[in-house]
C-alpha cells in the first residue's frame, strides 16, 4: 500500500495577503501526511515590475518573460516569497526547505520553442528529480518549491507553477498515493457565483465553449486533467480553505 502524499499549489492572491497566508500556513503545518508546497507569485512579481517601469505582458494567463522580467521573477519567487513562506512554516513547527528548480537539479527544462509567440525565458519541463524529493520527504522535511527551472546550461527559466505541481504529482504517483490541491482566490469553479462541486472533461469542454471557463483558467484546468489521466488520485480546486476541508470546492473527475 502506497504512503499518502499531498501536493498543494498556491498563487500570488494568497501570498500577497499576510492574514490569509498565515492562516493557510497554520493549517498546512498541521497536516500529518507527507506533503509538498508549490508556489508562484505572479501578481507580486507584476507589482514589482510596474514599480520599475516594466509593463507585465501576459497572453491567456501565460507570462512573456524577457531578461529584465526574469531577473525580477527570480528575486521575487526564489528570494522574497520562498524564504518568507519557509520562515513562517518554521514558526509553526513545520520543518521546511525552500527550493527552486535549480537546487539539487530539481527541475530540468528547455527554453520554450518560438512558434507564433516568443515567450522569452520560459521553460517547459523535461525532468523532475523525484529521487531528491523522496529523500527530503523521508527526512520529514517539507519541500517548498518556487516556479523556476533551469536548462543545465546555466540559464534559469520561468516555469508555470500549476504545471510544476502537476508534473511533480504525476511523477511521484509512481511511489505515493497523491492528492493534488490547487488553491486560488475563488472557492472553486463558479457559475453565477455558485460553486461547481464536480467537473469532468466533457463538462469542462462545454464550459469553455460557453466562455464560463476562459483565459488563465484554461491552462490551470488542463494541467489538472492531465494529472488525473496520468496517475494522480484526487484533484481539488478551491481557495486556501481546501487545505483544511474539501466541503466547498470543485472536485475534478475524468
Amino acid at each position: 500500500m502506497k504512503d499518502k502524499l499531498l501536493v498543494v499549489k498556491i498563487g500570488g492572491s494568497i501570498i500577497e495577503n499576510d492574514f490569509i497566508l498565515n492562516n493557510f500556513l497554520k493549517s498546512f503545518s498541521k497536516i500529518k501526511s507527507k506533503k509538498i508546497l508549490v508556489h508562484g507569485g505572479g501578481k507580486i512579481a507584476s507589482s514589482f515590475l510596474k514599480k520599475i517601469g516594466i509593463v507585465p505582458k501576459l497572453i491567456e494567463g501565460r507570462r512573456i518573460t524577457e531578461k529584465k522580467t526574469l531577473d525580477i521573477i527570480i528575486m521575487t519567487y526564489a528570494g522574497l516569497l520562498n524564504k518568507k513562506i519557509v520562515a513562517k512554516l518554521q514558526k509553526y513547527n513545520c520543518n521546511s526547505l525552500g527550493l527552486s528548480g535549480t537546487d539539487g537539479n530539481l527541475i530540468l527544462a528547455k527554453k520554450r520553442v518560438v512558434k507564433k509567440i516568443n515567450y522569452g525565458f520560459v521553460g517547459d519541463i523535461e525532468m523532475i528529480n523525484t529521487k531528491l524529493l523522496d529523500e527530503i520527504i523521508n527526512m520529514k522535511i517539507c519541500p517548498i518549491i518556487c516556479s523556476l527551472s533551469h536548462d543545465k546550461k546555466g540559464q534559469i527559466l520561468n516555469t508555470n507553477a500549476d504545471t510544476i505541481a502537476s508534473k511533480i504529482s504525476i511523477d511521484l504517483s509512481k511511489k505515493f498515493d497523491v492528492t493534488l490541491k490547487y488553491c486560488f482566490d475563488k472557492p472553486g469553479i463558479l457559475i453565477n457565483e455558485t460553486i461547481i462541486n464536480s467537473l469532468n472533461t466533457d463538462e469542462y469542454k462545454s464550459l469553455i465553449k460557453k466562455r464560463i471557463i476562459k483565459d488563465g483558467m484554461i491552462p490551470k484546468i488542463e494541467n489538472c486533467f492531465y494529472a488525473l489521466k496520468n496517475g494522480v488520485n484526487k484533484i481539488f480546486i478551491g481557495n486556501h480553505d481546501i487545505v483544511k476541508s474539501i466541503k466547498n470546492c470543485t472536485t475534478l473527475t475524468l
Side-chain angles (χ1 to χ4, degrees):
M1 190 173 182
K2 294 179 179 178
D3 286 345
K4 293 186 181 297
L5 173 68
L6 175 65
V7 179
V8 180
K9 185 269 173 178
I10 59 172
S13 57
I14 292 174
I15 302 170
E16 69 183 350
N17 185 313
D18 279 341
F19 179 77
I20 292 174
L21 179 62
N22 284 334
N23 284 338
F24 167 82
L25 293 176
K26 279 182 188 177
S27 300
F28 183 81
S29 66
K30 293 175 184 176
I31 295 166
K32 300 301 180 187
S33 67
K34 295 174 178 180
K35 58 197 175 188
I36 294 172
L37 181 63
V38 178
H39 71 84
K43 288 185 177 180
I44 299 161
S46 290
S47 176
F48 281 123
L49 286 166
K50 290 173 185 175
K51 285 178 182 178
I52 61 170
I54 298 174
V55 178
K57 299 175 185 176
L58 291 96
I59 297 175
E60 294 183 344
R62 299 185 184 276
R63 187 182 297 274
I64 306 296
T65 308
E66 295 155 345
K67 181 64 176 68
K68 288 183 179 179
T69 301
L70 179 66
D71 289 344
I72 296 298
I73 284 172
I74 293 168
M75 288 186 278
T76 306
Y77 293 3
L80 175 67
L81 301 182
N82 191 264
K83 301 314 165 194
K84 178 180 178 180
I85 291 167
V86 170
K88 287 180 180 291
L89 283 172
Q90 301 296 6
K91 173 185 174 182
Y92 300 130
N93 298 312
C94 176
N95 196 11
S96 306
L97 179 64
L99 297 165
S100 73
T102 65
D103 301 305
N105 195 30
L106 179 60
I107 307 171
L108 183 63
K110 62 180 178 181
K111 188 178 177 184
R112 184 167 296 166
V113 175
V114 177
K115 294 179 181 176
K116 291 182 179 179
I117 301 167
N118 183 355
Y119 284 96
F121 293 97
V122 167
D124 292 321
I125 299 172
E126 292 191 306
M127 183 276 293
I128 302 287
N129 189 345
T130 53
K131 185 175 183 292
L132 176 65
L133 288 176
D134 190 26
E135 288 174 353
I136 293 169
I137 292 166
N138 284 329
M139 290 168 63
K140 297 184 178 178
I141 297 173
C142 178
I144 311 299
I145 303 167
C146 71
S147 52
L148 297 169
S149 60
H150 76 119
D151 66 357
K152 200 76 171 173
K153 299 174 185 176
Q155 181 63 57
I156 299 173
L157 297 166
N158 182 24
T159 301
N160 184 274
D162 300 318
T163 305
I164 289 173
S166 173
K167 179 64 172 164
I168 285 172
S169 299
I170 289 167
D171 288 2
L172 286 174
S173 68
K174 296 173 179 67
K175 180 166 184 177
F176 297 97
D177 179 356
V178 180
T179 295
L180 174 56
K181 293 184 178 182
Y182 283 103
C183 300
F184 302 125
D185 54 347
K186 304 288 185 183
I189 299 169
L190 307 177
I191 297 180
N192 298 324
E193 300 303 313
T194 301
I195 299 171
I196 304 170
N197 296 117
S198 180
L199 182 71
N200 63 34
T201 49
D202 289 337
E203 292 164 340
Y204 164 63
K205 290 172 184 175
S206 174
L207 291 178
I208 289 176
K209 288 180 181 177
K210 294 176 182 177
R211 298 282 295 164
I212 292 169
I213 294 175
K214 57 185 178 180
D215 301 330
M217 277 305 292
I218 293 175
K220 293 179 190 297
I221 299 175
E222 289 285 351
N223 278 315
C224 292
F225 283 120
Y226 182 75
L228 274 178
K229 290 173 183 174
N230 287 277
V232 177
N233 189 18
K234 297 174 184 174
I235 298 182
F236 304 98
I237 295 176
N239 62 19
H240 60 280
D241 287 330
I242 65 169
V243 77
K244 294 184 291 187
S245 169
I246 54 170
K247 287 182 180 178
N248 297 308
C249 69
T250 301
T251 304
L252 270 70
T253 63
L254 292 175

